[in-house]
Amino acid sequence: MRWQPAVDGDVVAGRPARFVAAPATTEEASRILRAAAEQDLAVVIRGGGTKLEWGMPPRRLDLIVDTHRLSGVVEHAAGDLITVVRAGTPLGDLDFGTQQLALDSPLPGATVGGAVAAGTSGPRRLHYGAARDLIIGMTVVRPDGTVARSGGKVVKNVAGYDLGKLFAGSYGTLGLITECAFRLHPVPPERAVVLGEAPVAEVGALLAAVRAEQVVPSAVEVDRTGSGPVTVAVLVEGTAAGVRDRAARLEKCLSGATGDLPPWWGTLPWPPDGVGVKLTAALSKLPSLLAAAPEVTIRGSAGAGVLYAHVSSDIPATIARLRTATTRAGGHAVVLTAPEPVRQRVDMWGPVPALDLMRRVKDRFDPGHRFAPGRFVGGI
């Protein structure tokens, strides 16, 4: 099995592919990518297809490697709290009973490999870490078809490289992820979310008060629609008595109430065809970031310093304003997705440190620059 002719829907950020392949095993993927290398085909990986519009369009595209047949749990070692999962497995399909892979995805239908490759994470990143923190091992197929493994469940390591750290957030520019080994966590017996509301000017004090309570939250999320007040939602997990006590303290702190997870919890604030921007900042600077663009809908983790913004008007100027604010706040602003006319008018990635190092890593893994060419920062 190699590849089939592409059809109308086989498009990445507006760029149509010529062929599509769907390997079912790492070995089959290796054969496909070796053949693609021999023919100098440009390759883009597709999982659930939820983030194909993120990043820049590939400079060229010959072959889409679809991972939907690379699915399923390879191993669940409950006693060791680990699992090995194939990359094309939808995150929503994972069920480990009393254990969990604490990797939230803001996009329904996202696969394990797609979430790792795009470096997405959700509210519980505060407590459990991001995707890269949960990975203990990884199997990949390099662009020349070579199979490489690293970390836990090791057969053979790639000397000098932590593949999990390199491939997480690489946008599929270094190779194909086929399997990931993750650490698991017990499912907490009880959880509660406490919600409060405050004007932007008072959010800093409110978040400081939450930190001072030392309730060890699993997530601290904020949501602000336009110029309205900011909703703060704090998730606590643990034993029934512990959750009850901590929720009561948070209700006083937030002048709020315990309730259900709000409908916006763990979702991105922009529509499918909208302009979405990822903002990072030092925790103490988040209030100034919220104040920098009072008309913009902003949502995300106030506990981890990662927010998402939907920019809908005066787009280049607003993105520039957000970028200036994040730089002052010790972070970055990256345009994750935007319609093609906007992509032509704005710098999607903005200034990125260590770009030279990233280019050297790309040259090492993909010297022919055939994997997702141009999709990543700096035209990588």
Tab-separated table of all heavy atoms in Angstrom, residues 5-60:
chain	number	residue	atom	x	y	z
A	5	PRO	N	-4.922	8.751	-5.188
A	5	PRO	CA	-5.146	10.135	-5.639
A	5	PRO	C	-5.998	10.906	-4.621
A	5	PRO	O	-6.929	10.356	-4.030
A	5	PRO	CB	-5.876	9.967	-6.978
A	5	PRO	CG	-5.506	8.596	-7.443
A	5	PRO	CD	-5.359	7.761	-6.195
A	6	ALA	N	-5.674	12.162	-4.416
A	6	ALA	CA	-6.441	13.001	-3.485
A	6	ALA	C	-7.800	13.349	-4.095
A	6	ALA	O	-7.988	13.288	-5.315
A	6	ALA	CB	-5.657	14.269	-3.171
A	7	VAL	N	-8.742	13.715	-3.204
A	7	VAL	CA	-10.057	14.184	-3.648
A	7	VAL	C	-10.213	15.646	-3.230
A	7	VAL	O	-9.304	16.249	-2.651
A	7	VAL	CB	-11.177	13.311	-3.050
A	7	VAL	CG1	-11.051	11.876	-3.543
A	7	VAL	CG2	-11.154	13.348	-1.524
A	8	ASP	N	-11.379	16.201	-3.496
A	8	ASP	CA	-11.568	17.641	-3.288
A	8	ASP	C	-11.299	18.092	-1.858
A	8	ASP	O	-10.813	19.191	-1.621
A	8	ASP	CB	-13.002	18.028	-3.683
A	8	ASP	CG	-13.215	17.971	-5.186
A	8	ASP	OD1	-12.206	17.865	-5.917
A	8	ASP	OD2	-14.370	18.014	-5.621
A	9	GLY	N	-11.625	17.255	-0.875
A	9	GLY	CA	-11.474	17.672	0.512
A	9	GLY	C	-10.070	17.520	1.068
A	9	GLY	O	-9.807	17.892	2.222
A	10	ASP	N	-9.156	17.020	0.278
A	10	ASP	CA	-7.791	16.805	0.766
A	10	ASP	C	-6.970	18.078	0.566
A	10	ASP	O	-6.149	18.197	-0.362
A	10	ASP	CB	-7.155	15.619	0.036
A	10	ASP	CG	-7.875	14.319	0.338
A	10	ASP	OD1	-8.272	14.124	1.513
A	10	ASP	OD2	-8.047	13.497	-0.577
A	11	VAL	N	-7.211	19.027	1.450
A	11	VAL	CA	-6.645	20.371	1.350
A	11	VAL	C	-6.062	20.758	2.702
A	11	VAL	O	-6.640	20.455	3.751
A	11	VAL	CB	-7.735	21.388	0.933
A	11	VAL	CG1	-7.191	22.801	0.943
A	11	VAL	CG2	-8.299	21.035	-0.438
A	12	VAL	N	-4.936	21.440	2.690
A	12	VAL	CA	-4.317	21.934	3.928
A	12	VAL	C	-4.144	23.444	3.805
A	12	VAL	O	-3.366	23.919	2.962
A	12	VAL	CB	-2.949	21.265	4.177
A	12	VAL	CG1	-2.304	21.850	5.432
A	12	VAL	CG2	-3.104	19.758	4.299
A	13	ALA	N	-4.888	24.172	4.631
A	13	ALA	CA	-4.825	25.642	4.620
A	13	ALA	C	-4.962	26.192	3.194
A	13	ALA	O	-4.216	27.094	2.794
A	13	ALA	CB	-3.529	26.129	5.281
A	14	GLY	N	-5.878	25.629	2.462
A	14	GLY	CA	-6.143	26.099	1.104
A	14	GLY	C	-5.284	25.470	0.032
A	14	GLY	O	-5.527	25.687	-1.162
A	15	ARG	N	-4.291	24.686	0.415
A	15	ARG	CA	-3.386	24.074	-0.570
A	15	ARG	C	-3.825	22.633	-0.834
A	15	ARG	O	-3.822	21.799	0.070
A	15	ARG	CB	-1.959	24.071	-0.024
A	15	ARG	CG	-0.906	23.680	-1.051
A	15	ARG	CD	-0.500	24.843	-1.906
A	15	ARG	NE	0.247	25.824	-1.126
A	15	ARG	CZ	0.335	27.109	-1.447
A	15	ARG	NH1	-0.303	27.556	-2.516
A	15	ARG	NH2	1.034	27.945	-0.696
A	16	PRO	N	-4.229	22.297	-2.079
A	16	PRO	CA	-4.679	20.928	-2.365
A	16	PRO	C	-3.509	19.955	-2.476
A	16	PRO	O	-2.425	20.306	-2.932
A	16	PRO	CB	-5.405	21.080	-3.717
A	16	PRO	CG	-4.760	22.270	-4.362
A	16	PRO	CD	-4.366	23.197	-3.243
A	17	ALA	N	-3.771	18.707	-2.051
A	17	ALA	CA	-2.762	17.658	-2.160
A	17	ALA	C	-2.966	16.880	-3.455
A	17	ALA	O	-4.037	16.928	-4.070
A	17	ALA	CB	-2.864	16.724	-0.964
A	18	ARG	N	-1.939	16.142	-3.838
A	18	ARG	CA	-2.034	15.269	-5.029
A	18	ARG	C	-2.408	13.844	-4.631
A	18	ARG	O	-3.109	13.157	-5.358
A	18	ARG	CB	-0.705	15.262	-5.778
A	18	ARG	CG	-0.285	16.622	-6.338
A	18	ARG	CD	1.180	16.605	-6.760
A	18	ARG	NE	1.473	15.554	-7.724
A	18	ARG	CZ	2.681	15.048	-7.942
A	18	ARG	NH1	3.724	15.504	-7.227
A	18	ARG	NH2	2.873	14.099	-8.832
A	19	PHE	N	-1.884	13.407	-3.469
A	19	PHE	CA	-2.090	12.022	-3.051
A	19	PHE	C	-2.410	11.981	-1.560
A	19	PHE	O	-2.082	12.904	-0.809
A	19	PHE	CB	-0.831	11.178	-3.303
A	19	PHE	CG	-0.288	11.285	-4.692
A	19	PHE	CD1	0.878	11.997	-4.950
A	19	PHE	CD2	-0.945	10.678	-5.757
A	19	PHE	CE1	1.382	12.101	-6.233
A	19	PHE	CE2	-0.439	10.771	-7.052
A	19	PHE	CZ	0.720	11.493	-7.282
A	20	VAL	N	-3.016	10.856	-1.139
A	20	VAL	CA	-3.290	10.609	0.281
A	20	VAL	C	-2.911	9.165	0.600
A	20	VAL	O	-3.228	8.251	-0.179
A	20	VAL	CB	-4.777	10.829	0.625
A	20	VAL	CG1	-5.054	10.455	2.083
A	20	VAL	CG2	-5.179	12.269	0.373
A	21	ALA	N	-2.256	8.970	1.729
A	21	ALA	CA	-1.928	7.626	2.214
A	21	ALA	C	-2.408	7.504	3.645
A	21	ALA	O	-2.382	8.481	4.401
A	21	ALA	CB	-0.427	7.371	2.142
A	22	ALA	N	-2.842	6.300	4.020
A	22	ALA	CA	-3.339	6.074	5.384
A	22	ALA	C	-2.725	4.785	5.929
A	22	ALA	O	-3.354	3.720	5.884
A	22	ALA	CB	-4.868	5.998	5.392
A	23	PRO	N	-1.511	4.856	6.442
A	23	PRO	CA	-0.860	3.647	6.975
A	23	PRO	C	-1.555	3.166	8.241
A	23	PRO	O	-2.103	3.964	9.010
A	23	PRO	CB	0.566	4.127	7.265
A	23	PRO	CG	0.426	5.594	7.508
A	23	PRO	CD	-0.673	6.058	6.591
A	24	ALA	N	-1.486	1.849	8.469
A	24	ALA	CA	-2.105	1.268	9.662
A	24	ALA	C	-1.080	0.889	10.717
A	24	ALA	O	-1.464	0.587	11.845
A	24	ALA	CB	-2.929	0.041	9.275
A	25	THR	N	0.189	0.880	10.349
A	25	THR	CA	1.242	0.515	11.298
A	25	THR	C	2.441	1.439	11.105
A	25	THR	O	2.578	2.108	10.059
A	25	THR	CB	1.705	-0.934	11.086
A	25	THR	OG1	2.333	-1.027	9.789
A	25	THR	CG2	0.541	-1.912	11.163
A	26	THR	N	3.312	1.445	12.107
A	26	THR	CA	4.546	2.220	11.992
A	26	THR	C	5.381	1.721	10.817
A	26	THR	O	5.963	2.515	10.064
A	26	THR	CB	5.356	2.103	13.297
A	26	THR	OG1	4.600	2.686	14.366
A	26	THR	CG2	6.695	2.819	13.188
A	27	GLU	N	5.429	0.409	10.640
A	27	GLU	CA	6.241	-0.159	9.563
A	27	GLU	C	5.686	0.260	8.194
A	27	GLU	O	6.447	0.572	7.273
A	27	GLU	CB	6.264	-1.688	9.696
A	27	GLU	CG	7.028	-2.189	10.909
A	27	GLU	CD	6.315	-1.897	12.235
A	27	GLU	OE1	5.055	-1.779	12.230
A	27	GLU	OE2	7.000	-1.757	13.259
A	28	GLU	N	4.377	0.266	8.073
A	28	GLU	CA	3.770	0.680	6.801
A	28	GLU	C	4.038	2.166	6.549
A	28	GLU	O	4.340	2.575	5.423
A	28	GLU	CB	2.263	0.411	6.836
A	28	GLU	CG	1.602	0.511	5.478
A	28	GLU	CD	0.137	0.105	5.514
A	28	GLU	OE1	-0.346	-0.349	6.576
A	28	GLU	OE2	-0.522	0.241	4.485
A	29	ALA	N	3.944	2.968	7.601
A	29	ALA	CA	4.249	4.389	7.470
A	29	ALA	C	5.695	4.590	7.040
A	29	ALA	O	6.003	5.477	6.229
A	29	ALA	CB	3.989	5.100	8.802
A	30	SER	N	6.582	3.761	7.573
A	30	SER	CA	8.000	3.855	7.201
A	30	SER	C	8.177	3.596	5.706
A	30	SER	O	8.919	4.326	5.024
A	30	SER	CB	8.807	2.853	8.028
A	30	SER	OG	10.135	2.792	7.567
A	31	ARG	N	7.507	2.567	5.201
A	31	ARG	CA	7.643	2.261	3.775
A	31	ARG	C	7.099	3.400	2.914
A	31	ARG	O	7.680	3.772	1.892
A	31	ARG	CB	6.922	0.951	3.457
A	31	ARG	CG	7.603	-0.280	4.050
A	31	ARG	CD	7.050	-1.550	3.436
A	31	ARG	NE	5.643	-1.769	3.748
A	31	ARG	CZ	5.209	-2.413	4.848
A	31	ARG	NH1	6.078	-2.878	5.729
A	31	ARG	NH2	3.919	-2.586	5.060
A	32	ILE	N	5.973	3.966	3.329
A	32	ILE	CA	5.368	5.068	2.570
A	32	ILE	C	6.296	6.289	2.546
A	32	ILE	O	6.526	6.891	1.490
A	32	ILE	CB	4.001	5.436	3.185
A	32	ILE	CG1	2.986	4.334	2.898
A	32	ILE	CG2	3.501	6.780	2.659
A	32	ILE	CD1	1.689	4.478	3.672
A	33	LEU	N	6.837	6.630	3.705
A	33	LEU	CA	7.672	7.836	3.753
A	33	LEU	C	9.009	7.616	3.056
A	33	LEU	O	9.590	8.558	2.510
A	33	LEU	CB	7.862	8.270	5.206
A	33	LEU	CG	6.580	8.771	5.884
A	33	LEU	CD1	6.872	9.285	7.283
A	33	LEU	CD2	5.933	9.889	5.059
A	34	ARG	N	9.501	6.386	3.070
A	34	ARG	CA	10.734	6.119	2.329
A	34	ARG	C	10.487	6.298	0.826
A	34	ARG	O	11.302	6.913	0.122
A	34	ARG	CB	11.234	4.704	2.627
A	34	ARG	CG	12.594	4.399	1.995
A	34	ARG	CD	13.152	3.061	2.452
A	34	ARG	NE	13.438	3.067	3.878
A	34	ARG	CZ	12.767	2.341	4.781
A	34	ARG	NH1	11.789	1.538	4.391
A	34	ARG	NH2	13.093	2.391	6.053
A	35	ALA	N	9.355	5.799	0.366
A	35	ALA	CA	9.017	5.958	-1.054
A	35	ALA	C	8.774	7.434	-1.396
A	35	ALA	O	9.166	7.906	-2.467
A	35	ALA	CB	7.777	5.126	-1.381
A	36	ALA	N	8.132	8.158	-0.481
A	36	ALA	CA	7.898	9.589	-0.711
A	36	ALA	C	9.216	10.354	-0.797
A	36	ALA	O	9.365	11.278	-1.608
A	36	ALA	CB	7.028	10.160	0.413
A	37	ALA	N	10.184	9.951	0.036
A	37	ALA	CA	11.494	10.604	-0.005
A	37	ALA	C	12.190	10.335	-1.334
A	37	ALA	O	12.824	11.226	-1.914
A	37	ALA	CB	12.346	10.116	1.165
A	38	GLU	N	12.053	9.110	-1.820
A	38	GLU	CA	12.712	8.763	-3.091
A	38	GLU	C	12.146	9.585	-4.243
A	38	GLU	O	12.841	9.862	-5.219
A	38	GLU	CB	12.515	7.270	-3.359
A	38	GLU	CG	13.305	6.377	-2.407
A	38	GLU	CD	12.913	4.905	-2.517
A	38	GLU	OE1	11.970	4.589	-3.276
A	38	GLU	OE2	13.544	4.087	-1.840
A	39	GLN	N	10.869	9.990	-4.127
A	39	GLN	CA	10.238	10.777	-5.194
A	39	GLN	C	10.190	12.269	-4.862
A	39	GLN	O	9.521	13.033	-5.553
A	39	GLN	CB	8.832	10.245	-5.453
A	39	GLN	CG	8.824	8.792	-5.926
A	39	GLN	CD	7.444	8.321	-6.353
A	39	GLN	OE1	6.660	9.087	-6.903
A	39	GLN	NE2	7.155	7.054	-6.123
A	40	ASP	N	10.848	12.654	-3.750
A	40	ASP	CA	10.912	14.067	-3.336
A	40	ASP	C	9.520	14.679	-3.178
A	40	ASP	O	9.265	15.806	-3.589
A	40	ASP	CB	11.738	14.890	-4.343
A	40	ASP	CG	12.055	16.282	-3.816
A	40	ASP	OD1	12.217	16.424	-2.581
A	40	ASP	OD2	12.121	17.238	-4.624
A	41	LEU	N	8.604	13.922	-2.565
A	41	LEU	CA	7.256	14.428	-2.347
A	41	LEU	C	7.208	15.282	-1.076
A	41	LEU	O	7.793	14.924	-0.055
A	41	LEU	CB	6.262	13.273	-2.217
A	41	LEU	CG	6.120	12.332	-3.413
A	41	LEU	CD1	5.001	11.327	-3.154
A	41	LEU	CD2	5.851	13.105	-4.692
A	42	ALA	N	6.499	16.387	-1.132
A	42	ALA	CA	6.241	17.207	0.057
A	42	ALA	C	5.070	16.594	0.822
A	42	ALA	O	4.035	16.266	0.231
A	42	ALA	CB	5.922	18.641	-0.346
A	43	VAL	N	5.221	16.452	2.143
A	43	VAL	CA	4.285	15.677	2.961
A	43	VAL	C	3.703	16.544	4.080
A	43	VAL	O	4.432	17.320	4.715
A	43	VAL	CB	5.004	14.461	3.594
A	43	VAL	CG1	4.053	13.682	4.502
A	43	VAL	CG2	5.581	13.559	2.514
A	44	VAL	N	2.409	16.401	4.321
A	44	VAL	CA	1.764	16.991	5.503
A	44	VAL	C	0.997	15.878	6.211
A	44	VAL	O	0.334	15.059	5.563
A	44	VAL	CB	0.809	18.138	5.125
A	44	VAL	CG1	-0.046	18.555	6.322
A	44	VAL	CG2	1.594	19.343	4.613
A	45	ILE	N	1.097	15.849	7.541
A	45	ILE	CA	0.395	14.844	8.345
A	45	ILE	C	-0.998	15.372	8.683
A	45	ILE	O	-1.168	16.539	9.038
A	45	ILE	CB	1.167	14.543	9.640
A	45	ILE	CG1	2.634	14.238	9.312
A	45	ILE	CG2	0.510	13.390	10.391
A	45	ILE	CD1	2.830	13.079	8.366
A	46	ARG	N	-1.998	14.470	8.632
A	46	ARG	CA	-3.368	14.850	9.002
A	46	ARG	C	-3.902	13.859	10.026
A	46	ARG	O	-3.892	12.656	9.794
A	46	ARG	CB	-4.267	14.845	7.762
A	46	ARG	CG	-5.735	15.229	8.061
A	46	ARG	CD	-6.532	15.347	6.769
A	46	ARG	NE	-6.704	14.057	6.111
A	46	ARG	CZ	-7.148	13.904	4.858
A	46	ARG	NH1	-7.455	14.963	4.141
A	46	ARG	NH2	-7.265	12.702	4.324
A	47	GLY	N	-4.353	14.370	11.169
A	47	GLY	CA	-4.995	13.526	12.171
A	47	GLY	C	-6.501	13.668	12.054
A	47	GLY	O	-7.122	13.234	11.089
A	48	GLY	N	-7.105	14.321	13.048
A	48	GLY	CA	-8.544	14.552	12.997
A	48	GLY	C	-8.935	15.688	12.063
A	48	GLY	O	-10.117	15.950	11.858
A	49	GLY	N	-7.953	16.412	11.549
A	49	GLY	CA	-8.230	17.515	10.632
A	49	GLY	C	-8.728	18.766	11.324
A	49	GLY	O	-9.211	19.690	10.667
A	50	THR	N	-8.591	18.838	12.655
A	50	THR	CA	-9.138	19.976	13.396
A	50	THR	C	-8.248	21.212	13.338
A	50	THR	O	-8.713	22.311	13.649
A	50	THR	CB	-9.346	19.598	14.871
A	50	THR	OG1	-8.102	19.152	15.419
A	50	THR	CG2	-10.378	18.482	15.008
A	51	LYS	N	-6.969	21.043	12.959
A	51	LYS	CA	-6.052	22.185	12.984
A	51	LYS	C	-5.333	22.367	11.644
A	51	LYS	O	-4.267	22.965	11.595
A	51	LYS	CB	-5.034	21.985	14.119
A	51	LYS	CG	-5.687	21.995	15.501
A	51	LYS	CD	-4.712	21.702	16.612
A	51	LYS	CE	-4.395	20.253	16.722
A	51	LYS	NZ	-5.514	19.383	17.130
A	52	LEU	N	-5.937	21.868	10.572
A	52	LEU	CA	-5.299	22.012	9.269
A	52	LEU	C	-5.227	23.470	8.823
A	52	LEU	O	-4.418	23.826	7.974
A	52	LEU	CB	-6.055	21.179	8.219
A	52	LEU	CG	-5.902	19.661	8.356
A	52	LEU	CD1	-6.741	18.958	7.295
A	52	LEU	CD2	-4.442	19.234	8.233
A	53	GLU	N	-6.096	24.314	9.398
A	53	GLU	CA	-6.070	25.734	9.038
A	53	GLU	C	-5.125	26.534	9.924
A	53	GLU	O	-5.002	27.752	9.753
A	53	GLU	CB	-7.483	26.319	9.123
A	53	GLU	CG	-8.484	25.687	8.172
A	53	GLU	CD	-8.058	25.826	6.713
A	53	GLU	OE1	-7.608	26.913	6.341
A	53	GLU	OE2	-8.166	24.834	5.971
A	54	TRP	N	-4.482	25.900	10.860
A	54	TRP	CA	-3.529	26.600	11.720
A	54	TRP	C	-2.190	26.734	10.996
A	54	TRP	O	-1.802	25.880	10.196
A	54	TRP	CB	-3.318	25.839	13.026
A	54	TRP	CG	-4.482	25.891	13.971
A	54	TRP	CD1	-5.788	26.129	13.642
A	54	TRP	CD2	-4.450	25.701	15.377
A	54	TRP	NE1	-6.567	26.092	14.770
A	54	TRP	CE2	-5.775	25.833	15.853
A	54	TRP	CE3	-3.442	25.414	16.287
A	54	TRP	CZ2	-6.110	25.690	17.197
A	54	TRP	CZ3	-3.760	25.269	17.626
A	54	TRP	CH2	-5.071	25.417	18.079
A	55	GLY	N	-1.463	27.796	11.319
A	55	GLY	CA	-0.161	28.017	10.704
A	55	GLY	C	-0.296	28.502	9.271
A	55	GLY	O	-1.394	28.822	8.786
A	56	MET	N	0.836	28.574	8.601
A	56	MET	CA	0.834	29.017	7.204
A	56	MET	C	0.555	27.843	6.270
A	56	MET	O	0.805	26.687	6.615
A	56	MET	CB	2.201	29.630	6.873
A	56	MET	CG	2.494	30.924	7.612
A	56	MET	SD	1.362	32.257	7.147
A	56	MET	CE	1.947	32.621	5.481
A	57	PRO	N	0.044	28.107	5.059
A	57	PRO	CA	-0.125	27.019	4.081
A	57	PRO	C	1.240	26.423	3.733
A	57	PRO	O	2.252	27.129	3.739
A	57	PRO	CB	-0.745	27.727	2.872
A	57	PRO	CG	-1.274	29.011	3.389
A	57	PRO	CD	-0.412	29.403	4.540
A	58	PRO	N	1.282	25.135	3.441
A	58	PRO	CA	2.561	24.568	3.007
A	58	PRO	C	2.993	25.193	1.681
A	58	PRO	O	2.161	25.475	0.826
A	58	PRO	CB	2.256	23.078	2.868
A	58	PRO	CG	0.774	22.991	2.688
A	58	PRO	CD	0.197	24.136	3.460
A	59	ARG	N	4.310	25.398	1.556
A	59	ARG	CA	4.805	25.982	0.296
A	59	ARG	C	4.485	25.071	-0.884
A	59	ARG	O	4.212	25.530	-1.982
A	59	ARG	CB	6.315	26.204	0.382
A	59	ARG	CG	6.724	27.444	1.143
A	59	ARG	CD	8.196	27.756	0.908
A	59	ARG	NE	9.046	26.706	1.431
A	59	ARG	CZ	9.507	26.660	2.671
A	59	ARG	NH1	9.198	27.632	3.509
A	59	ARG	NH2	10.273	25.675	3.075
A	60	ARG	N	4.540	23.774	-0.655
A	60	ARG	CA	4.106	22.808	-1.660
A	60	ARG	C	3.539	21.610	-0.930
A	60	ARG	O	3.886	21.349	0.224
A	60	ARG	CB	5.246	22.408	-2.608
A	60	ARG	CG	6.416	21.687	-1.964
A	60	ARG	CD	7.533	21.502	-2.972
A	60	ARG	NE	8.665	20.771	-2.383
A	60	ARG	CZ	8.923	19.485	-2.613
A	60	ARG	NH1	8.127	18.780	-3.406
A	60	ARG	NH2	9.956	18.896	-2.052
